[in-house]
Amino acid sequence: MSTATPEAGRWIGAGAFLLAGLHQFSPLKNICLRHCRSPAGQLVCHGGYRPGARDLRVGVHHGLYCVGCCWGLMIVLIPLGTMNIAAMAALTVVIFMEKLWRLGPAFSTAVGVAFLVLAARAPFQSWLLPGLQPSGPSRQPMA
């Protein structure tokens, strides 16, 4: 039995990279990222509500913008490995740079290009998909 990534896994990984790359260029990403960069504006918008309702509303509102901004980056954890600490740290840096760096929009575009390149290469180079590699001993029927 081969330890190579199964064919379907290669295409799932390529699809995850493609979705993430396309999302980096989408208007939804830019809108969500703009709102995520200034969460204090959410407090001003919802300032007229009672304190408990205001906090919940601001939290849900801001949380939805953060999910809209980062879901593409999170889906990349599937081919890179859900419990891959290095991949999680790298994506944390990407999210941090997109939201706080003054060149965040340009950086976001560069990340999108990188994901599209990975999407094109992933079906042919299984080492790009460590999260979809079989792990542990293979189960072969005993003779």
Side-chain angles (χ1 to χ4, degrees):
M1 194 158 179
S2 172
T3 60
T5 302
E7 193 66 28
R10 292 177 185 209
W11 292 105
I12 289 170
F17 284 130
L18 180 66
L19 278 173
L22 293 175
H23 179 64
Q24 291 295 105
F25 297 106
S26 73
L28 174 66
K29 168 81 175 191
N30 293 328
I31 291 168
C32 292
L33 193 54
R34 187 174 59 242
H35 283 278
C36 251
R37 284 188 179 133
S38 60
Q42 304 299 320
L43 289 172
V44 173
C45 288
H46 300 291
Y49 294 98
R50 293 176 304 165
R54 179 189 62 224
D55 297 342
L56 178 64
R57 190 177 289 248
V58 168
V60 169
H61 197 246
H62 184 65
L64 288 173
Y65 276 118
C66 278
V67 168
C69 177
C70 297
W71 72 264
L73 297 171
M74 295 302 147
I75 201 168
V76 169
L77 286 174
I78 294 169
L80 293 179
T82 306
M83 296 304 290
N84 184 339
I85 299 297
M88 287 189 277
L91 288 175
T92 300
V93 169
V94 168
I95 291 169
F96 181 78
M97 302 266 297
E98 281 184 344
K99 290 185 180 185
L100 299 179
W101 191 27
R102 67 178 176 85
L103 298 175
F107 182 71
S108 182
T109 301
V111 170
V113 169
F115 284 155
L116 293 177
V117 168
L118 287 171
R121 294 182 67 185
F124 310 107
Q125 296 176 340
S126 62
W127 62 271
L128 291 171
L129 308 168
L132 299 177
Q133 300 273 347
S135 61
S138 64
R139 296 184 184 229
Q140 295 180 350
M142 295 178 68

